[in-house]
Amino acid sequence: MCGIIGYIGDKEKKKIIIEGLRELEYRGYDSAGISVFSDNELHSFKTTGKLINLEKKCENFSSSGFGLAIGHTRWATHGKATEINAHPHSAEFSNIVHNGIIENYAILKKDLEKKGHIFLSQTDTEVVVHLFEENLLHLKDSTLAFKETIKALKGSYAILLITKKENDKIFYAKNGSPLIIGTDGSDIYFASSSTPLIGLVKDVCYLEDGEVGYMDKNNFKSLKNIIPLSGTKISSQKDGYRYFMEKEIYEQHKVLQDTISSRILEDKIELNLPKDFLKDINSITICACGTSYHAGLSAKYIFEREAKIKTDAIIASEFRYSNPIMRKDELFIVISQSGETADTLEALKLANKNGLKTLAVCNVENSSMVREAKYSLLTRAGIEKGVASTKAYATQVMLLWILGIYIAEIKQSISKENIKKQIKNMNEAIKATMINPKIHDRLKKLSKRYLHGHGFFFIGRDIFYPLALEGALKLKEISYLHAEGYPGGEMKHGPIALADSELFTISLMPKHLLFDKIKSNTEELASRDATICAISQEIIDIADDMVLIDKFDSYMEEFFAMMIVLQILALEVAIRLGNDVDMPRNLAKSVTVE
Ligand code: AGP
C-alpha cells in the first residue's frame, strides 16, 4: 500500500528517497513521486507505474548541500492511478505526501474552492496542503497553521509536509497510519515502516496516534519513546528463485524452525505469555483479514478440539461495526503479518477499550498491533516480500497451534501424552514442508491443464476448510482466476449447481481426518462431471488428476504438506499466465486503509 519516506540532511536527497521507496516497493503501488526542497526551490517529480519511471524522470536532477525531501508510493484510493493523482501534492508553495484516507475531504474541498483554491487532482490529499496554506494566510505561523489543518481532518493519516516558508523543517502528523522518525545522530529520516530505516538510523520513534508537529535537525530528542532500531538489512535477492513468493514457499521449513525454537521442548510448551493472563479466560475471539483470517479460522478448530475453549474467528472489517458483544473473560487475538492492517488494528483498539485481554500474533516487531496489544507473540517468518502471503501464513498456523496446546495445558484440558504427541506432530509437520522436487515438477506440468474453465472450487472439511479458503485465495490473488473455498459438506446446499467439466475442484483429502466424508463430497461433484484434482496420500479413483503427497501419520502433517501443494499450484498457474507473481494487480502487501 502507500509508502512514505522523508529526509532532512546534507546527503543526496533524491537518492535517499528513491532507495527508501524501493524498500517499500514490494508492498504494492501504482504511482510514485518525490519533492526536494533545496536552494529555496521545490523540485517535484511524479510518474505512474514503477519506480524505474520516476528514476528516469529525475535522472538529470541532483541537489547538493542541506535540504529537505519527501517521497511517496501511491496505491490509489481516491482517484485513478494517474500522474496528477500521484503524490506529492502541491498548493502554491508547499508539498505534501499522505497515507490513509481523509474522510471529510469533500466538505473541506468545497469550502476551499469558495475561497479561490484550484484543485488539480481527484485525491483527498490535495485538500490538506491547500488547507495548510489557507490557514497560514490567517495564522502567519507555519506550526500553528499545520496544527490547525490537522485538527480539521477526519480519517486516517500519516502526513509529511514541506513548505518554502520553512527551509529546515518537515511537518508531520499521524493518526491511524504508521509513521516513524529516525536519526543516525545527525540527519533525520521518516518512513511509514521500519524496513527502509534499517541500517540507516540508530534510534527511532514510532509516532503515536494524535502526534503532530515539526522536525528539524535539532529536535529529535524532544520526541517521546525513542528506542534503538534493531535488525540488520536482510538480503532482498531472489537467490535463484524466479519470484520472491517462490523463495518464500521454499523457506518455510526453515522459518517454521525459528517459530518453534525455544517454544517447544520435548514434552512441554514455553511461551513468553504469563499463565495468569490465560488462566481465567472462558472464550476466545480471533480477528484478522485475508490470509491471516484463514490462519485464525484454523486456530478455532485447534483451540476448541485441544483446549476445549469456545472460539470465534471473525473478519476484522465485519467485527468493527457489528456492535460485538465483548466479555471481560474473553481472550481477544489479532493475527497479522504486517501488524498494520487498518481493520485489524481498529478491532484491537476496540477490544482494548472494552477491557478485554488482548494478544497480537504478528510478524513485525514494533508494529502498531504489537505496540497496541497487551501481549504479543512474534511469528518469526522474516520479511515477506511476495504480496501473496505464504511463509507468514505457515508460521501463523504453527504459532497458533503451539498457543492452543499451551492454553490447553493451562486449562488442564489435555493429557501429558497428548502434549507429547502434539509436539512430535509439530516437528513432523515442519518436515512435511520440505519440498519434494517431484511434487513441484508434477504441479508445474499439471498447471497447464488449469488455465481455462469457469472457476475453481477448493473443498475441505474441518481444519482443511480454512486451508481450502487459503488455497482459493492464493490462486485468485496471483492468477486472477475465479476460485472459491468451501466446506466439502456444503456443496450440495447450492454451489454444486455450478458443477460441470469446466469447473475444477481441488479436493483436500487427508487420510487422518474425515477421509470418508470428504470422499463422499468429492464423489458427489465427480458424478456431476466436475473435473476433480485430489490432493491426498491415498490414490483417489474418482479423481481426474491427483497430487500424491508423502505418507504421514497425522492430519496436521497432511495439512502442512497440502499447504505447500496449494501454494505451488497457484504459483505455477500464475507463471504460466504471465502474471507478476510478486506484485499482483490491484493488491498491496499491507492494507493500511479500511
Ligand atoms: C495474503 O495473501 C494477502 N495478500 C492478504 O489477504 C493479507 O493476508 C491481509 O491483507 C492481511 O494482512 P496482514 O496479515 O498483514 O494483517
Side-chain angles (χ1 to χ4, degrees), residues 5-35:
I5 300 288
Y7 174 69
I8 306 176
D10 298 293
K11 302 197 182 84
E12 173 49 89
K13 289 156 278 301
K14 175 182 87 175
K15 192 164 163 262
I16 287 182
I17 299 293
I18 291 182
E19 277 173 8
L21 292 177
R22 183 156 293 122
E23 295 284 341
L24 298 173
E25 232 186 338
Y26 72 97
R27 300 163 76 98
Y29 66 104
D30 35 46
S31 58
I34 175 174
S35 280

Side-chain angles (χ1 to χ4, degrees), residues 424-459:
K424 181 174 165 283
N425 290 349
M426 286 171 191
N427 281 309
E428 295 300 320
I430 295 180
K431 289 188 200 143
T433 63
M434 300 276 289
I435 298 170
N436 176 344
K438 279 194 193 139
I439 292 195
H440 194 149
D441 277 354
R442 165 91 183 116
L443 288 162
K444 203 180 263 178
K445 284 203 190 91
L446 206 60
S447 61
K448 67 168 177 265
R449 296 169 55 174
Y450 291 94
L451 306 176
H452 61 290
H454 55 73
F456 288 77
F457 280 148
F458 285 69
I459 60 167

Side-chain angles (χ1 to χ4, degrees), residues 524-538:
E524 286 155 13
L525 278 147
S527 54
R528 280 152 187 94
D529 217 19
T531 298
I532 308 289
C533 175
I535 307 174
S536 185
Q537 59 173 297
E538 296 290 303

